[in-house]
Amino acid sequence: MDIILRTENIWKTYETSSVKVNALNGIDLAFAKGKFYAVIGRSGSGKSTLLNILSGLDAPTKGKVYFEGKDLSEYSDGKMAIFRRRHMGFVFQQYNLIEEYNVLENICMPVKLDQRKPDPEFLHTILKTLGLLDKQKKYVGELSGGEQQRVAIARSILSKPKIIFADEPTGNLDKKTAFETLKLLMESAKKFGQTLIMVTHDLEIARMSEVIITIEDGRVVSG
Ligand SMILES: Nc1ncnc2c1ncn2[C@@H]1O[C@H](COP(=O)(O)OP(=O)(O)OP(=O)(O)O)[C@@H](O)[C@H]1O
Ligand SMILES: [Mg+2]
């Protein structure tokens, strides 16, 4: 099995002036290239914390994350930013769209930052599947929550990253749109050999994945 991402005994403690929260308590996971993983668990179990650490957005308190065998903690902040832009796609619980950009500019932003040109045919497929063809010139403030979510998904797919991290990517969408969106994510992932790691509370969606990882109080209880 070709492992793209691996963790070694990850711990994460959040410390504020009054309380200490042990969000992750010794996580050992290995993700195979091209597979679709669903991460499930109750609210507060540590799913988003895990995703932030797997994607190098946040550092663990203890333990290591290896991407293609390379220890992520060895990257400087600047190198990490470039690395993430080039190899990773993100759909987060908050969409992180740029207000001053229109839909098309937001979707193309990571590819442009990387001095690459978007693939026009692929861009068209993405816009069409996600129902964004007639929204391209709209600004973020003019979009509904569901539309913003679809823009964030389109942006994560266009740059054909090696891994896509998605935190409740279909949470704001109606059932039909959620499934179409998920199908696009899965098809894109299969076509480009991408690994998909998705947090969801929807068991129907989780069952579409190849591996379900269940988190309970910051520990993996199955997966
Ligand atoms: N920045 C932070 N500072 C302090 N505590 C935090 C922080 N982020 C998360 N936590 C705590 O860590 C624990 C895990 O949070 P996390 O956001 O990972 O849960 P989750 O499984 O994603 O929940 P949800 O399903 O509600 O999104 C929770 O107890 C949460 O309160
Ligand atoms: Mg969360």
Side-chain angles (χ1 to χ4, degrees), residues 68-115:
E68 294 182 332
K70 183 146 174 40
D71 179 355
L72 286 189
S73 68
E74 285 172 13
Y75 284 95
S76 65
D77 286 353
K79 274 223 170 110
M80 194 63 216
I82 294 169
F83 174 82
R84 295 173 80 241
R85 197 166 69 215
R86 197 158 291 164
H87 300 301
M88 298 173 167
F90 302 93
V91 189
F92 281 145
Q93 268 177 317
Q94 51 311 48
Y95 317 118
N96 301 327
L97 298 176
I98 299 171
E99 302 276 341
E100 295 76 25
Y101 284 6
N102 68 30
V103 165
L104 190 63
E105 290 163 339
N106 264 287
I107 293 172
C108 295
M109 196 258 308
V111 177
K112 292 239 165 94
L113 271 177
D114 216 21
Q115 269 122 42

Side-chain angles (χ1 to χ4, degrees), residues 49-198:
T49 303
L50 175 64
L51 223 64
N52 289 345
I53 289 175
L54 289 175
S55 63
L57 188 68
D58 201 2
T61 310
K62 206 179 99 185
K64 299 265 192 208
V65 181
Y66 296 92
F67 183 93
E68 294 182 332
K70 183 146 174 40
D71 179 355
L72 286 189
S73 68
E74 285 172 13
Y75 284 95
S76 65
D77 286 353
K79 274 223 170 110
M80 194 63 216
I82 294 169
F83 174 82
R84 295 173 80 241
R85 197 166 69 215
R86 197 158 291 164
H87 300 301
M88 298 173 167
F90 302 93
V91 189
F92 281 145
Q93 268 177 317
Q94 51 311 48
Y95 317 118
N96 301 327
L97 298 176
I98 299 171
E99 302 276 341
E100 295 76 25
Y101 284 6
N102 68 30
V103 165
L104 190 63
E105 290 163 339
N106 264 287
I107 293 172
C108 295
M109 196 258 308
V111 177
K112 292 239 165 94
L113 271 177
D114 216 21
Q115 269 122 42
R116 287 188 285 162
K117 282 221 164 64
D119 172 345
E121 233 173 86
F122 190 40
L123 175 62
H124 185 84
T125 304
I126 293 171
L127 289 171
K128 190 157 180 251
T129 311
L130 293 177
L132 293 171
L133 271 180
D134 59 349
K135 304 262 170 358
Q136 294 180 54
K137 295 280 184 270
K138 285 208 171 190
Y139 286 85
V140 175
E142 303 171 295
L143 302 174
S144 71
E147 287 165 347
Q148 291 184 39
Q149 193 152 27
R150 282 181 273 149
V151 173
I153 289 165
R155 182 185 56 185
S156 78
I157 297 176
L158 183 66
S159 60
K160 301 173 185 164
K162 288 182 180 170
I163 295 197
I164 295 179
F165 295 98
D167 199 342
E168 297 280 3
T170 54
N172 266 325
L173 305 176
D174 60 85
K175 217 169 174 79
K176 185 164 168 280
T177 313
F179 274 93
E180 274 164 14
T181 302
L182 196 67
K183 236 180 90 203
L184 176 72
L185 264 175
M186 289 169 67
E187 280 170 9
S188 157
K190 279 292 160 236
K191 186 168 169 197
F192 299 108
Q194 294 162 312
T195 307
L196 188 54
I197 305 178
M198 181 183 296

Side-chain angles (χ1 to χ4, degrees), residues 42-49 93 167-168 199:
R42 298 174 61 159
S43 179
S45 58
K47 304 178 299 294
S48 295
T49 303
Q93 268 177 317
D167 199 342
E168 297 280 3
V199 171

Side-chain angles (χ1 to χ4, degrees), residues 1-32:
M1 193 163 62
D2 201 357
I3 299 297
I4 184 161
L5 190 69
R6 182 167 72 79
T7 70
E8 210 174 76
N9 197 21
I10 293 285
W11 294 72
K12 180 70 181 180
T13 307
Y14 291 111
E15 253 179 282
T16 57
S17 48
S18 53
V19 279
K20 213 168 130 176
V21 179
N22 295 316
L24 298 178
N25 303 295
I27 301 270
D28 287 296
L29 284 169
F31 298 91

